[in-house]
Amino acid sequence: MTLKESALVAPDTAPLPQPAEEPHRATAWPVARTTAAEAGAAARAGRLGQGARGPLDVPLDVPLGAALGRVLAGPLLALTDLPSFDTSAMDGWAVAGAGPWTVREEGAVLAGHAPDAVLADGEAVRIATGARVPAGTTAVIRTEHSRTEHSRTEPSRTERGDGAPGPLLYALREVRARQDIRPRGQECRTGDQLLPAGSAVTPAVLGLAAAAGYDALPVLPRPRVEILVLGDELLTAGLPHEGLIRDALGPMLGPWLEALGAEVLATRRIGDDAEELYAAVTGSTADLLITTGGTAAGPVDHLHRVLDAAGATLLVDGVKVRPGHPMLLARLSGEDSRHLVGLPGNPLAAVSGLLTLAEPLLAALTGGAREPHRAPGVPVQDEVQGHPHDTRLVPVVRRADGAVPLHYNGPAMLRGIAAADGLAVVPPGGARPGQALEILGLPWPTAAGDVPAEGVCFT
């Protein structure tokens, strides 16, 4: 069905119908974030409750090298004991029985090599950290806690036959049974649950999985996202000219959403054309559609009318936050629980929409493993001007003694957020110096506490 067939617009000769005049009912910022999270959770629970096996529910086996940032589809069970055998915790000597011990002359026992023979009582052999202890070993003595002594009456190696006694090893401290030996299964036994399903795969998880015997991990597919960048005024290359500006959101949103755990199917650019937008919205198979611009009531802001024609349900229509007031969240029609987040066209306002609506929704779609990045209770160093009625999101740099607000925080500006490591949540009316504010973190590593780069401007 086309846009005209949906009765959204009349034939080309007729003007677009205007929505009835009524007060705009924006949602409070905390409520909007909660609504987005609940929408994602409901979409996921609805599929699971119906026994459906949609694209987000079918596990994928992904090699360890490609699993970073994914979410475990099932519990991580140990495939082996850890350690898999008794190992030495230190460089030193493996000894058997009570000392002093006769040092065996064969080479040291090294990691990755099986010991050649059983230690008899009164014998010692060199051993490296991580090496398998020889059978018969009763303890490991650290090198620095021992000394060796050659007897004056001891024959030379050439004078004595094979098997003749070697130097003697003495302990400089009391030797306890099994000291500095890592016993088999100390960390886990085969079949133990190491992590529950839904855990995020971090670098540490990759190391644990490799140690536990995994070559690949069963992970959940990433939520599929499609980005629609709207506007006739946008350039993809070159300098702005004659009323045209560069598209800043197209290059920014894809990597940002991937950092939030999404699989970005495509970034499409659509002009100010209601028919084309309607076709893109109704034809997409993505779990989440992200649009930029068109959320207000301007002459070419078609998104509300397109959503109405597509049978969507508005869950959030405007948020009491600056920048980003005209953002929206809609549940698209159909049984597959897909959603659309409409971001404002101004770049920092779009970032506000990402953190307010897209991030909590994506976190819930992945089973809650990716909690939105936030740090409560960070004192702000300077006074921050607030909006009389709405929450403000202000780029900040975090230092050891608090958060420093950055300048260039207007809705169309990216200079502030590019130097920031978070956004402070400023309540209506503003914040005084020293007031503790929630900080929304960014989904990538930041040098929190470092001195900002030269040229960064503070409020």
Side-chain angles (χ1 to χ4, degrees):
M1 178 184 294
T2 67
L3 186 62
K4 292 177 183 177
E5 291 171 336
S6 73
L8 176 63
V9 297
D12 292 340
T13 57
L16 286 170
Q18 298 300 313
E21 292 292 335
E22 60 179 30
H24 194 282
R25 297 182 179 179
T27 303
W29 181 79
V31 176
R33 280 173 64 85
T34 299
T35 300
E38 290 174 347
R44 181 171 181 78
R47 284 194 304 270
L48 296 177
Q50 296 168 5
R53 298 285 287 181
L56 285 178
D57 306 312
V58 180
L60 303 173
D61 283 330
V62 176
L64 292 185
L68 182 65
R70 307 299 287 264
V71 176
L72 292 178
L76 186 70
L77 304 179
L79 302 181
T80 181
D81 295 347
L82 285 181
S84 300
F85 40 79
D86 290 357
T87 62
S88 176
M90 293 289 170
D91 293 328
W93 302 90
V95 299
W101 301 268
T102 301
V103 176
R104 289 171 49 162
E105 289 297 308
E106 66 258 31
V109 180
L110 302 178
H113 299 269
D116 291 332
V118 176
L119 277 184
D121 275 356
E123 289 187 327
V125 67
R126 279 263 184 206
I127 193 166
T129 301
R132 184 170 186 167
V133 299
T137 299
T138 56
V140 169
I141 301 175
R142 303 182 188 190
T143 300
E144 62 270 26
H145 296 166
S146 66
R147 66 180 176 85
T148 56
E149 182 178 294
H150 293 265
S151 170
R152 292 180 180 180
T153 60
E154 179 187 346
S156 68
R157 189 170 183 177
T158 56
E159 293 174 341
R160 67 176 186 257
D162 291 340
L168 292 178
L169 174 73
Y170 292 86
L172 303 180
R173 297 186 180 185
E174 178 186 359
V175 178
R176 294 175 287 103
R178 305 293 292 174
Q179 73 177 27
D180 286 330
I181 294 175
R182 295 176 181 144
R184 175 175 181 167
Q186 180 184 51
E187 185 172 3
C188 66
R189 290 291 186 180
T190 302
D192 284 354
Q193 178 174 304
L194 305 177
L195 290 170
S199 298
V201 179
T202 65
V205 171
L206 292 176
L208 176 62
Y214 285 85
D215 300 316
L217 287 175
V219 298
L220 294 174
R222 300 178 188 270
R224 300 165 303 151
V225 176
E226 187 173 5
I227 302 168
L228 306 179
V229 180
L230 312 182
D232 289 337
E233 75 279 14
L234 301 177
L235 295 169
T236 58
L239 295 175
H241 63 275
E242 299 176 354
L244 301 177
I245 60 173
R246 282 295 296 269
D247 169 27
L249 295 181
M252 180 178 73
L253 292 180
W256 198 308
L257 289 160
E258 288 176 348
L260 293 176
E263 176 189 357
V264 178
L265 301 179
T267 297
R268 298 172 53 188
R269 290 173 172 81
I270 295 176
D272 294 319
D273 185 306
E275 287 279 1
E276 189 177 1
L277 177 58
Y278 178 85
V281 170
T282 56
S284 176
T285 60
D287 303 299
L288 175 62
L289 268 171
I290 300 285
T291 64
T292 69
T295 58
V300 291
D301 290 338
H302 303 305
L303 185 56
H304 280 88
R305 295 190 288 272
V306 164
L307 290 174
D308 183 58
T313 301
L314 282 173
L315 304 178
V316 174
D317 188 11
V319 177
K320 294 179 181 178
V321 66
R322 306 296 168 130
H325 176 77
M327 66 181 74
L328 62 82
L329 169 64
R331 183 175 61 246
L332 300 176
S333 63
E335 298 180 355
D336 46 1
S337 299
R338 299 182 306 114
H339 291 86
L340 180 145
V341 169
L343 304 177
N346 279 323
L348 188 57
V351 170
S352 175
L354 273 180
L355 298 180
T356 301
L357 299 177
E359 183 176 25
L361 189 145
L362 286 170
L365 277 178
T366 56
R370 294 176 174 275
E371 291 296 331
H373 301 71
R374 57 201 304 175
V378 179
V380 64
Q381 287 193 3
D382 305 317
E383 181 179 0
V384 185
Q385 183 180 0
H387 186 274
H389 310 292
D390 296 350
T391 299
R392 277 193 74 203
L393 301 182
V394 177
V396 295
V397 170
R398 277 178 284 182
R399 289 178 169 173
D401 51 352
V404 182
L406 298 176
H407 198 31
Y408 301 110
N409 52 37
M413 299 179 179
L414 288 175
R415 186 171 171 181
I417 188 66
D421 54 26
L423 285 96
V425 181
V426 182
R432 64 185 182 279
Q435 182 174 340
L437 299 179
E438 177 184 357
I439 305 295
L440 302 181
L442 305 178
W444 49 78
T446 58
D450 289 350
V451 177
E454 183 178 352
V456 172
C457 296
F458 298 96
T459 301

